[in-house]
Amino acid sequence: MEPTPISSSLDSRPSLRDIHSINAQHLLSRPESYEGRERKCISDVRRTFCLFVTFDLLFVSLLWIIELNVNGGIMNQIVKEVAQIDYYSTFFDIFLLAAFRFIVLILAYALLKVRHWWAVAVTTAVSSIYLVVKVSLSKITSQVPFGYLLPIMSFILAWIETWFLDFKVLPQELEENRYRLVQDASERDVLIRPGPNSDGLFYSPPESVIDSDEETEEKHDEEKPLK
């Protein structure tokens, strides 16, 4: 016996249990994606920037320690440059300048997660002006064999930080935020959108062809005149 069109259409419609299982799978999978997204509190490119800021402080500190060792011993020179600081002949202020950049940038971009370039602009401007004035007025370039190296490296590292934040960190994070907004919107649309053929969930079962034929025959028998 061939299936009637009514029964075939009923078979093609998804049952309430199937649609409920599909929606349940979506609801269970979405919180996992949100939790994974919340765990990542800082982006990879911002973490790389903070690592470079730390390298800036450590590298300048290393150059300053080498300079102290060359000039006659670390301990004696530390006492001389820190306790009896002389602007025209010390490198300690350049180390303090690197520490200033480290504190401001880590506080702004690692702890506060600022999404603007104002902090690195301040540190770079202060470093550049101070280093240019120091090299112009001090006598460190003539007193120490590599007295020019520490100011130049500090100047270069400050400008690399500005370039890296402005051309790498902020544009990439903006792109990631746009992608995340689009993805969140699509996920909400999937959760809100009804399942396929949801209009067929509530319907009364049609009468079968066999039952309708039997009722027609009974009516026909009742209408026959009695002989």
Side-chain angles (χ1 to χ4, degrees), residues 23 97 133 198 220:
N23 292 332
L97 192 62
V133 173
S198 61
H220 184 66

Side-chain angles (χ1 to χ4, degrees), residues 61-82 90-92 144 146:
S61 303
L62 179 63
L63 292 179
W64 180 52
I65 292 172
I66 293 174
E67 181 269 333
L68 294 176
N69 197 19
V70 169
N71 287 343
I74 297 177
M75 297 306 299
N76 295 330
Q77 290 298 319
I78 286 179
V79 173
K80 181 180 178 181
E81 291 199 2
V82 175
T90 184
F91 285 103
F92 180 62
V144 184
F146 57 95

Side-chain angles (χ1 to χ4, degrees), residues 84-97:
Q84 305 172 358
I85 185 169
D86 184 8
Y87 174 78
Y88 297 98
S89 61
T90 184
F91 285 103
F92 180 62
D93 53 352
I94 298 180
F95 166 76
L96 292 179
L97 192 62

Side-chain angles (χ1 to χ4, degrees), residues 95-173:
F95 166 76
L96 292 179
L97 192 62
F100 162 75
R101 289 197 302 270
F102 174 80
I103 293 172
V104 172
L105 296 179
I106 292 298
L107 179 64
Y109 298 110
L111 299 179
L112 300 179
K113 298 180 180 63
V114 176
R115 299 183 181 275
H116 198 270
W117 46 262
W118 64 265
V120 74
V122 169
T123 57
T124 303
V126 171
S127 300
S128 301
I129 295 172
Y130 187 87
L131 290 171
V132 170
V133 173
K134 183 174 182 63
V135 171
S136 302
L137 299 179
S138 66
K139 303 175 182 179
I140 54 176
T141 55
S142 59
Q143 292 177 352
V144 184
F146 57 95
Y148 60 88
L149 182 60
L150 192 56
I152 289 177
M153 292 306 302
S154 183
F155 185 87
I156 292 174
L157 290 173
W159 279 97
I160 290 177
E161 290 166 356
T162 302
W163 171 84
F164 191 80
L165 181 80
D166 197 22
F167 289 93
K168 295 294 182 181
V169 178
L170 298 181
Q172 186 169 336
E173 286 187 346

